[in-house]
Structures are given as C-alpha cells and as structure tokens.
Amino acid sequence: MALSRMDDLYRQVILDHSDNPHHHGELPDATNNIELKNPTCGDVLKLDLNIEDGVIKDAAFSGYGCTISQASASMMTDAVIGKTTDDAEQMVQTFSNMIIGEDVDTDSLEDAAVLEGVSKFPARIKCATLAWKALHKAMNKEESE
Amino acid sequence: MDNNDFPILHQKVNDEDLVYLDNAATTQKPKQVVEAMEKFYYNDNANVHRGVHTLAERSTEQFEAAREKVRKFINAKSNKEIIFTKGTTDSLNMIAQSYGENIHEGDEIVISIMEHHSNLIPWQQLAIKKHATLRYIGLTDDGELDMAEAKKLINDKTKIVSVAQVSNVLGVINPVKKLAELAHAHGAVMVVDGAQSAPHMPIDVQALDCDFFAFSGHKMLSETGIGVLYGKEELLNDMTPVEYGGEMIEFVKKYDTTWNDLPWKFEAGTPNIAGAISLGYAIDYLNEIGMQKIFDYEQQIVDYVLPKLLAIDDLEVYGPTDPTKHTAVISFNLKGLHPHDLATGLDMEGVAVRAGHHCAQPLMTYLGLSATARASFYFYNTLADADKLVEAIKATKEFFKHGTI
Ligand SMILES: Cc1ncc(COP(=O)(O)O)c(C=O)c1O
C-alpha cells in the first residue's frame, strides 16, 4: 500500500522528536528571539536564543505546527546549542541545501540530517525549513524586543 | 454520475487511483470545455468589441453569448447586470471599492465569522478607511449561522450585509434570502459570496433578492481568472467604475470622460475573453446534468459519508452533524495530529484534500483551531471515493499511532 512511502518522511526519529520535543518552552532571559508564521498553514514558531560571546548557549522553541515542523525545531535546537553563530549559520546553509535534494555532508546536523527524506515531499519542505529560517533570523537580529 | 469526461481523474498518484476531493479549491475541467477552448483559439480568437473584421465579430458574439448563459444560470433580469471579473475575490473587492463610496462614518457593515478572507478583508479595510464599524454574526453550537444574533446586529445603521451562501470550511448553507429581507428592512444592501454555492445548486438571484452576487468560474469546471459580479441594475447605474481604461468609456475628452453603458462600464481593458467563453461552456455542461440533480446527488454523498466520518474515533468533524444541513464540503481533524500530516497521509493513499486555514483565519480562531483538513466533493465523485477517504483516514490514524504500518 502506498502509505508505506510515509516511512521516508516520518522516520521513527522524527516521530520521537515530535512526540517528545527537546528544548520546548521559552527562555526568560533570551538575548535573541523571533516569531515566525507559515502563512500557508497558519503555523507559528517562536524561537528564543541565548547568545554569549558569539556562542549559542541555549535555545528553546514554542508555538504549534505539524509533526515535521515540531521535530525539525527540536532537532535544530539540539544541534546548535554550544555552536558558534558562524557554525550555526553554516548549518542553516547545509540544511537548506540538503532539503532541496543537494548532495551535501550533513554530519554537522546530527539528528536533523534524517529530514533529508522531506526533499521528496515538496509540499512539506517549508515545514522542515521553518525552524532553521527562524534560527537564521533570530541570530541576525540586533537584540531582542 | 459520470466522470469519463474528466481525463485528469483517471490517473494514479503515489501508486493509488487518484481520488480528487479538493473541489472547493478548484474543480477539474471536462473535455467539452477544454476542447471548446481549443476550437476558439484555433478558429475564432480576436479582441472583442473593437474590430469590424470577421474574427472580431465571432469572438465578440461568443463573449456576449457567454454573458447571456451566465444571466440565465443565475436568473438575473438583464445582461447589464452581469459583469465579468477575475473571480469572486475581484468581484467582492469591486463592490467594496465602488459601492463602498456610500459608506460614511458611523455606518455599520455586517458579515459573519465564517467568511473567506476575500469576503472579509475588503469590508474590514473599508470600515477602517471610512471610520465605519464592522460587525460579525457568530455561530450556533451546531456550526450554523446564528440568525438570532443576525437579527440583533442588523439595524438602521447597517448599510451592507455580506455573507457566503455556503461556507468553504463548515459546509453549511446560510439563509441568505432571510438575511436579504433583514438587510432590506433596514435599508441595507445584501451581498452574497456565491463561490461555494453557484457550482453546486440552482441559483436565482431574483428569488434570493440579493443586491450583489459573486462567484468564480474555476470552481465550476471553467478556467481560472474568470468570474462574475452580478449587481442589480439600478445600483450598478449609480456606482462609479473601479478601473479606468479601454472599453469602459463612452467618450474621452482631455479633462473629462463619460462612461460606457452597463455592464462594460465595469470591464476596463481587454477582458479574459477565452475565460468567459469557457464559463459559458461550463454552464452548458452543468445545465446538461441539471443543477438540482447535482445538488441532490451531492447530498446523497453527504448522507453516506458524514455518518461514517463521525463514527471514526478521534476524528473531529466541524459544522453541522445533520447531513441535511451539510453540503459536500467537510472539514475535520484527527486528534493529536496536525492536518498537514493527515493530508500527506491521505495523499499517499491517492486522496487529495486540502489542509490549512482555508483563508478563514478569524473562523479558525473562533473555533480555537489553527488549521483543519478538508474534503470537498463534486458531482464527478462517487460513493467509492467517499469510502476511499474513510479508509485512508483510518490508515493514516493507524500509521501515526504506531509510527509505521
Ligand atoms: C467562500 C469563498 N469565497 C471566496 C473565495 C475566493 O474565490 P477566488 O479565489 O476564486 O477569488 C473562495 C475560494 O476559495 C471561497 O471558497
């Protein structure tokens, strides 16, 4: 049955992350934050970052969205905590390339690398990229409001 | 009913037979309409109303014949009342901009909470611009328009009432004729968004006694980029054009212009000629079946599928649970699962539905939702399609319960 193709998209790791998201919540003393909406589906993602001396000390996300967008945010926060903003910027690029099906070295992305399968589901690419887009925007914001 | 005229429906997606249930977004086109378009472009294409040559005459004749078909389709009194537009959105914006000139500070505009953004934002922005007040009719517990509230909201300050005849989310039919009576009793005009009704049921604008009626060709077998604005002649006569340019003028002097007659006064520039003609052919196709027959057939589908959906554990279905009050537009959510995930699951099973806020964010907020999945049927769908939907929902539910199949 064709539903078996779903396994490419909803790998077990992805379902685990969306069922039990890591770093879910808010950072009261965030240095950088952003709220992004996905206008096509009405999903909302809030991302808080704590950046000190160019290093992402902590990250947390909240809002609501589909399995893919929630899992992606959980994996993204896992991967970028402890990284310099330059490295994180590099990871944003790696993720964007991976998700459109380009052949890139995805080791730095940790769990987030399994989202590679999303490239075969064009309608869902935006769900996967929302968290990384939020990261990019939050890091490039001068200071939090 | 027959779907052999729709080649697109006979294909596999993701190795499954396609079941197209996104008709509220747009419908598929029968061979008869596509072939008529081809014939027009290969034989008769020319600009309308401005040439004396033979092709110009042919295309003008077909363009105006399409207008006559539309007039009959909604039983308007006169062709002057049928304005070709880009679609429902365009039609509603035109009314808000042009008739909206009659709105002044302190006036009130009444719409409902279930409106599509295209029947909401034009009024919201008009209210802001004119310092008027926008009021919303809410819903009953069963997801129907709260007519008791409507009676309270519509008063002598009300200048415009604008409501969809059928909701593109809840599938309810709204009593627009009663609303028109209420509006008229207080000297207001009644605007009907017919995007989801005109394709599925007989429409008689005179019986409804609405002042304006808007609908889209692409939701009723025709092309995108063509739609209709119906308006009562006496109202249209007093309204100023929204767009200026070719075709819509009578005489242009250096510092002054007089307008063409209705309906051309509101059709500036070269119109979507082929689109209008295709709408004419789409209407022929629908009339061949009969609009009442289409309505009755779709009701049979609802009678059949709605109870089956309601019986699925963890499936929330929105709008009336009584099939006789529900058209074949059905929104639902699986508890704990985002509708995008559900829609992807259904797509893998060949079933095309929409997931999202359906351009009705205030309604989503009102219902406490961020999004829903929505299946919408047309006359070419079958009871077997309904079964496939139900099975695919169950399979998707199982998939997410176990993380695999
Ligand atoms: C109730 C309703 N109103 C208005 C519209 C807008 O129609 P269109 O996009 O064709 O202008 C739609 C279509 O989605 C609709 O369902």
Side-chain angles (χ1 to χ4, degrees):
Chain A
M1 121 185 336
L3 204 58
S4 57
R5 290 175 185 223
M6 294 267 281
D7 290 336
D8 289 346
L9 181 61
Y10 297 101
R11 309 278 293 277
Q12 192 56 47
V13 202
I14 297 175
L15 295 173
D16 289 346
H17 271 277
S18 87
D19 284 347
N20 298 298
H22 306 173
H23 311 289
H24 193 266
E26 292 175 16
L27 300 180
D29 48 356
T31 56
N32 296 52
N33 59 25
I34 188 106
E35 180 175 319
L36 275 194
K37 292 195 169 84
N38 184 345
T40 52
C41 54
D43 289 354
V44 182
L45 180 74
K46 288 187 201 149
L47 179 66
D48 288 350
L49 299 177
N50 237 329
I51 302 178
E52 274 173 45
D53 304 328
V55 175
I56 300 173
K57 294 278 182 202
D58 204 359
F61 77 97
S62 56
Y64 46 84
C66 62
T67 300
I68 302 298
S69 77
Q70 296 298 295
S72 179
S74 171
M75 294 163 164
M76 181 277 288
T77 47
D78 268 358
V80 301
I81 291 173
K83 300 277 177 358
T84 65
T85 50
D86 286 348
D87 285 347
E89 224 26 277
Q90 198 64 48
M91 291 159 72
V92 171
Q93 200 50 53
T94 304
F95 190 88
S96 311
N97 292 340
M98 173 190 86
I99 209 78
I100 55 171
E102 280 181 22
D103 197 10
V104 282
D105 182 356
T106 56
D107 284 354
S108 66
L109 299 178
E110 300 173 18
D111 277 2
V114 305
L115 286 167
E116 194 178 358
V118 178
S119 65
K120 281 185 251 155
F121 296 77
R124 305 304 300 277
I125 288 177
K126 273 193 192 149
C127 314
T129 50
L130 188 65
W132 293 90
K133 224 182 255 165
L135 174 68
H136 171 71
K137 290 211 168 167
M139 288 193 300
N140 289 288
K141 253 172 82 173
E142 280 307 302
E143 54 195 31
S144 67
E145 291 130 26
Chain B
M1 243 165 258
D2 198 3
N3 62 19
N4 287 328
D5 294 333
F6 297 82
I8 199 172
L9 297 175
H10 302 276
Q11 63 173 302
K12 295 217 181 262
V13 296
N14 300 315
D15 301 332
E16 301 278 341
D17 289 334
L18 169 66
V19 175
Y20 183 78
L21 297 181
D22 195 16
N23 293 290
T26 200
T27 60
Q28 300 304 345
K29 325 301 174 198
K31 277 187 216 157
Q32 287 82 341
V33 170
V34 176
E35 281 162 10
M37 280 311 88
E38 196 176 88
K39 204 162 142 253
F40 169 75
Y41 273 124
Y42 288 165
N43 297 287
D44 308 321
N45 177 51
N47 210 327
V48 289
H49 297 305
R50 29 188 118 171
V52 287
H53 59 80
T54 304
L55 293 191
E57 267 172 30
R58 278 193 217 150
S59 85
T60 303
E61 195 181 301
Q62 291 178 43
F63 181 69
E64 291 304 326
R67 198 188 304 276
E68 171 61 15
K69 290 178 192 177
V70 172
R71 183 198 68 74
K72 277 203 192 123
F73 186 70
I74 61 171
N75 193 32
K77 254 189 219 152
S78 150
N79 282 347
K80 293 179 185 165
E81 302 178 316
I82 306 297
I83 298 159
F84 284 123
T85 65
K86 288 188 282 186
T88 308
T89 304
D90 192 29
S91 301
L92 293 166
N93 275 281
M94 273 173 72
I95 310 167
Q97 276 182 43
S98 180
Y99 190 82
E101 285 306 313
N102 300 314
I103 301 298
H104 304 289
E105 186 164 352
D107 287 347
E108 297 185 357
I109 301 166
V110 176
I111 64 174
S112 90
I113 194 68
M114 67 173 95
E115 297 313 311
H116 187 281
H117 293 164
S118 67
N119 193 30
L120 191 157
I121 310 171
W123 308 117
Q124 180 192 66
Q125 296 301 312
L126 177 65
I128 293 171
K129 194 167 126 199
K130 300 283 186 176
H131 304 286
T133 305
L134 183 63
R135 297 199 183 283
Y136 286 89
I137 308 167
L139 310 180
T140 63
D141 292 343
D142 196 26
E144 291 182 85
L145 196 71
D146 187 343
M147 284 303 283
E149 195 179 4
K151 280 189 194 113
K152 278 188 226 144
L153 283 180
I154 299 171
N155 64 48
D156 287 346
K157 286 191 206 154
T158 311
K159 293 293 176 294
I160 296 171
V161 179
S162 189
V163 171
Q165 189 169 16
V166 170
S167 160
N168 67 314
V169 180
L170 300 170
V172 278
I173 304 177
N174 292 321
V176 288
K177 185 177 160 68
K178 285 207 187 92
L179 287 169
E181 281 168 19
L182 279 173
H184 293 153
H186 294 281
V189 294
M190 180 70 206
V191 181
V192 176
D193 172 354
Q196 297 297 344
S197 61
H200 302 277
M201 60 181 68
I203 301 293
D204 182 337
V205 288
Q206 293 186 67
L208 292 176
D209 198 22
C210 56
D211 300 285
F212 299 99
F213 188 94
F215 62 102
S216 300
H218 71 97
K219 293 184 197 286
M220 46 184 284
L221 313 182
S222 176
E223 302 186 349
T224 50
I226 186 72
V228 173
L229 168 58
Y230 157 83
K232 281 185 184 161
E233 188 178 342
E234 57 272 28
L235 292 171
L236 292 175
N237 266 330
D238 289 342
M239 285 159 54
T240 48
V242 179
E243 287 188 318
Y244 306 114
E247 209 78 72
M248 50 78 65
I249 54 99
E250 178 192 51
F251 202 78
V252 184
K253 291 171 283 182
K254 254 171 104 178
Y255 299 107
D256 194 18
T257 297
T258 50
W259 312 132
N260 197 346
D261 290 334
L262 286 174
W264 306 292
K265 176 171 104 173
F266 290 100
E267 294 178 356
T270 301
N272 182 352
I273 302 164
I277 293 170
S278 95
L279 178 56
Y281 283 107
I283 288 175
D284 289 344
Y285 189 97
L286 293 168
N287 284 338
E288 188 83 16
I289 305 172
M291 291 311 293
Q292 188 60 46
K293 214 167 142 195
I294 288 174
F295 181 77
D296 293 342
Y297 176 76
E298 289 180 20
Q299 278 317 116
Q300 278 177 32
I301 294 183
V302 180
D303 274 346
Y304 180 78
V305 76
L306 192 59
K308 287 193 194 303
L309 292 172
L310 289 165
I312 301 175
D313 275 345
D314 296 333
L315 192 76
E316 277 180 12
V317 181
Y318 307 103
T321 49
D322 177 353
T324 64
K325 292 180 176 174
H326 211 128
T327 64
V329 176
I330 307 175
S331 292
F332 48 85
N333 268 326
L334 262 180
K335 274 194 200 121
L337 190 64
H338 192 283
H340 270 185
D341 298 315
L342 175 54
T344 293
L346 298 187
D347 184 47
M348 291 303 110
E349 293 284 277
V351 180
V353 301
R354 175 144 180 219
H357 52 62
H358 314 295
C359 301
Q361 284 179 345
L363 175 62
M364 293 290 128
T365 308
Y366 183 89
L367 297 173
L369 303 167
S370 72
T372 76
R374 177 187 72 188
S376 52
F377 295 79
Y378 208 14
F379 62 82
Y380 44 63
N381 292 120
T382 61
L383 295 184
D385 291 346
D387 283 334
K388 191 74 201 284
L389 170 70
V390 172
E391 283 162 27
I393 293 173
K394 288 181 180 165
T396 305
K397 184 182 141 183
E398 285 307 305
F399 176 88
F400 281 99
K401 209 186 253 171
H402 304 299
T404 181
I405 47 160

